[in-house]
Amino acid sequence: MLTIESDRTIVLVFYQNPTAEARESFSPTFLTNLSKFEGAICVVTDQPFDHIPLKYFAPSQPIEDVVEWIRAIAMARFSRMKWRGH
């Protein structure tokens, strides 16, 4: 397993382009494989899959919702690092 020691938080946001001519949704296989990774991963889509454990945001949600989610992750990580004495 690849691990990275860093004081930075890595966040992956996958967003399907709503203006693409041939708009395709994320495949269940892709999302299932993506859910196997640890870390801060979210998907912005209008077709979430309840059985695939990822954080989902609807395209209609304000971007502030995603930003708040990222802030919460960063604060939780900072608290853990502070607790461990880093």
Side-chain angles (χ1 to χ4, degrees), residues 22-34:
R23 184 172 167 193
E24 296 181 24
S25 58
F26 295 107
S27 75
T29 302
F30 170 74
L31 295 174
T32 298
N33 288 329
L34 191 61

Side-chain angles (χ1 to χ4, degrees), residues 9-13 40 42 57 63-77:
T9 301
I10 297 172
V11 176
L12 299 176
V13 178
C42 77
F57 292 95
I63 190 69
E64 290 83 15
D65 290 356
V66 178
V67 172
E68 282 301 314
W69 175 73
I70 292 170
R71 280 191 186 125
I73 290 166
M75 291 302 294
R77 185 171 188 277

